[in-house]
Amino acid sequence: MIDWSATFENVIDLLSYDPKSPMLFSSGLFWAIFLMFIPIYAFLKSNRTKMMIFVIIFSLYFYYKSSGFFLFLLVATSLIDWYLALLIEKNREQSARKCFVAISIVVSLSILAYFKYANFFLLNWTLIIGENFQPLDIVLPIGVSYYTFRSISYVVDVYRGKVKAATSWIDYLFFLSFFPALVAGPIVRADIFLPQLKENKAPSKSEIYAGLWLIILGVIKKSIIADYICQYNDLIFNSPTGYNGFETLMGVFGYTAQIYCDFSGYSDMAIGIALIMGFKLLPNFDFPYKSTSLTEFWRRWHISLSTWLRDYLYIPLGGNRKGTYRTYLNNFITMLLGGLWHGAAWKFIFWGGMHGAGLAVNKACRPFTSRFDGQKWFTVLSWVITMSTVSFLWIFFRADTWSDSWAIVKNVFTNFSIDYLVPFVKVRYIWVIMMLVIVITH
């Protein structure tokens, strides 16, 4: 006999927030709920108001399953920035408009700084003054970096006159909480998304098929390839000196493939889900490992972030309008802060700073290297240098600590032997096959 009371309690537990198991697109629970969501959404699609309220409720529940009651922080952020954007648009005095923009940016960045960087800054401050560090008990809300950047871009675009301020708070909350892009991107721009929301166009059959294909592709990348090859990669990074140099190098290459499949797979699922719902999100990855320079790499990798950094940080710093050396400095600062955005640790700052330095070197060498454009040997050499640089820097992105990063680098260069190739392929043949799949598709 079924114990309905116990069954009900299990269902409630399953649907409640669990900090150890946040709901992401890779979870079976999400797809079970989404299969119930989509027919109701399709039924309400023609009524814009009802559709929006339904999606907002679902998005907030999705965020609750990911970050618990931090959903109220998301709602509060939406209220503050929606109101400030209206004040910016209605006010004619430039000083007042700038003041409202500043308030919005300060509030958004203060929230992000507290949750993401408070312990990092306190740790470094206590090291400077020589005191013991007692970390604050802070839980980082999932996705706060993404919706903070969306919020900042919206307010700045209203100030620039690039987008009209949303007259309805419901419209803006829909944009900010839109669940396909809520916790892991792509970073959605208001000037692209809000007109689609206003039009409320139903998806065509081709868009639905394309969306389903992207979802399938994303699941294969994320849940099959990335989740499998990470098992070996984790062994290497969890024990930086526990394996020989060849095995360690394979782990580095493995992580290079893993982070691409993981991140681009999740983006594919997000874009596919949005497309099924009738919304077009811009591509976030464009075969980045085909790049023959770091400049090209950042045009292909995490496109929504790289274009955000370009439009809201690099260009306001002066871009390439203030001379050659200032251009190099602006590139370096932009990537340095981009590294810090990824995580509160010096290894992320180093990762971003080295990419910034690499971009500067790339630009400085262009007058010389441009004469070889189109020559196959130069294309191959450029690709090898680019991929070597990218893979090397992924070590610092993935390793648990700064010392672990250098231990891995040292192990590759001092303990390497090609003799391990054949035994490695025999033991890790499935891992090798999946790596080859990634190479061939590129």
Side-chain angles (χ1 to χ4, degrees):
M1 185 176 179
I2 299 176
D3 187 344
W4 291 108
S5 177
T7 302
F8 179 75
E9 290 180 2
N10 290 335
V11 171
I12 294 299
D13 288 342
L14 185 66
L15 297 178
S16 299
Y17 169 61
D18 180 2
K20 296 180 180 179
S21 182
M23 186 167 71
L24 302 172
F25 296 157
S26 53
S27 66
L29 177 62
F30 169 78
W31 293 111
I33 297 175
F34 182 72
L35 289 176
M36 293 184 284
F37 162 86
I38 200 66
I40 300 174
Y41 172 81
F43 177 74
L44 298 174
K45 178 68 173 174
S46 58
N47 188 313
R48 182 174 177 271
T49 302
K50 291 180 179 178
M51 178 274 293
M52 288 172 58
I53 293 173
F54 176 64
V55 173
I56 288 172
I57 292 172
F58 185 85
S59 296
L60 293 178
Y61 172 72
F62 177 79
Y63 195 64
Y64 161 74
K65 278 291 293 176
S66 301
S67 293
F69 290 101
F70 283 119
L71 69 92
F72 294 112
L73 181 63
L74 171 64
V75 173
T77 298
S78 71
L79 274 169
I80 293 169
D81 288 331
W82 169 73
Y83 183 65
L84 287 171
L86 286 176
L87 292 178
I88 292 168
E89 188 168 80
K90 292 177 181 177
N91 208 297
R92 298 303 178 195
E93 294 184 13
Q94 192 68 3
S95 58
R97 286 163 53 84
K98 288 182 178 180
C99 181
F100 294 137
V101 172
I103 291 172
S104 173
I105 293 176
V106 168
V107 169
S108 294
L109 291 182
S110 295
I111 293 171
L112 182 62
Y114 172 74
F115 284 104
K116 196 166 185 176
Y117 305 109
N119 278 322
F120 173 69
F121 290 130
L122 287 174
L123 169 62
N124 286 278
W125 174 247
T126 54
L127 290 174
I128 292 172
I129 63 177
E131 293 185 1
N132 291 326
F133 173 61
Q134 297 295 330
L136 302 176
D137 186 16
I138 299 175
V139 177
L140 177 65
I142 293 177
V144 64
S145 298
Y146 286 94
Y147 74 70
T148 296
F149 271 25
R150 284 208 300 278
S151 180
I152 290 174
S153 67
Y154 167 73
V155 172
V156 171
D157 284 351
V158 170
Y159 171 77
R160 291 173 174 174
K162 188 176 180 180
V163 64
K164 299 287 290 183
T167 55
S168 167
W169 172 60
I170 296 298
D171 283 12
Y172 183 66
L173 181 58
F174 186 101
F175 158 71
L176 196 64
S177 66
F178 188 57
F179 74 91
L182 181 55
V183 299
I187 300 172
V188 181
R189 300 284 191 92
D191 60 325
I192 295 173
F193 188 86
L194 288 179
Q196 296 183 60
L197 177 59
K198 185 176 181 180
E199 186 179 5
N200 194 31
K201 181 182 176 183
S204 64
K205 285 186 177 180
S206 61
E207 289 172 340
I208 293 174
Y209 293 148
L212 288 171
W213 167 247
L214 283 172
I215 291 171
I216 293 170
L217 189 63
V219 169
I220 292 173
K221 284 182 182 178
K222 170 73 178 69
S223 300
I224 297 178
I225 298 179
D227 286 357
Y228 181 84
I229 63 177
C230 81
Q231 297 175 55
Y232 173 74
N233 306 335
D234 288 347
L235 294 176
I236 298 300
F237 282 93
N238 291 338
S239 181
T241 58
Y243 297 84
N244 63 67
F246 178 85
E247 292 172 313
T248 302
L249 182 61
M250 291 301 101
V252 172
F253 288 153
Y255 182 70
T256 300
Q258 174 196 333
I259 192 171
Y260 165 71
C261 288
D262 199 321
F263 200 179
S264 70
Y266 200 92
S267 292
D268 286 344
M269 286 186 272
I271 295 169
I273 291 169
L275 200 55
I276 289 174
M277 295 173 63
F279 295 93
K280 294 181 180 179
L281 307 184
L282 297 180
N284 210 23
F285 290 85
D286 182 21
F287 296 100
Y289 292 157
K290 292 172 67 173
S291 304
T292 56
S293 69
L294 284 182
T295 301
E296 183 184 1
F297 175 79
W298 280 105
R299 289 172 182 160
R300 293 172 174 267
W301 177 274
H302 203 345
I303 300 169
S304 64
L305 174 63
S306 58
T307 54
W308 194 99
L309 292 172
R310 179 197 66 197
D311 295 343
Y312 301 100
L313 187 55
Y314 174 71
I315 292 177
L317 284 172
N320 59 0
R321 304 186 306 274
K322 297 187 176 183
T324 301
Y325 295 108
R326 181 63 181 272
T327 298
Y328 299 159
L329 179 61
N330 291 340
N331 267 315
F332 181 77
I333 293 173
T334 299
M335 294 308 301
L336 196 73
L337 294 176
L340 184 61
W341 179 84
H342 280 86
W346 284 107
K347 65 192 187 79
F348 290 111
I349 296 175
F350 175 79
W351 174 82
M354 290 300 292
H355 269 285
L359 288 173
V361 171
N362 182 218
K363 291 181 183 296
C365 292
R366 279 303 294 162
F368 172 75
T369 59
S370 60
R371 70 186 69 177
F372 303 114
D373 287 348
Q375 298 186 33
K376 290 185 178 180
W377 69 269
F378 182 72
T379 300
V380 172
L381 178 62
S382 299
W383 177 82
V384 170
I385 293 173
T386 301
M387 282 305 303
S388 298
T389 303
V390 169
S391 299
F392 170 77
L393 292 177
W394 281 137
I395 296 173
F396 298 88
F397 193 93
R398 168 62 181 84
D400 293 332
T401 65
W402 179 260
S403 58
D404 283 355
S405 301
W406 287 111
I408 289 172
V409 173
K410 181 179 178 181
N411 198 28
V412 170
F413 282 98
T414 63
N415 192 25
F416 183 88
S417 175
I418 197 66
D419 294 338
Y420 289 95
L421 173 60
V422 174
F424 180 87
V425 172
K426 287 182 178 179
V427 174
R428 303 284 179 183
Y429 63 92
I430 296 179
W431 184 93
V432 172
I433 290 172
M434 289 193 173
M435 290 289 290
L436 288 173
V437 167
I438 299 168
V439 173
I440 292 170
T441 53
H442 262 68

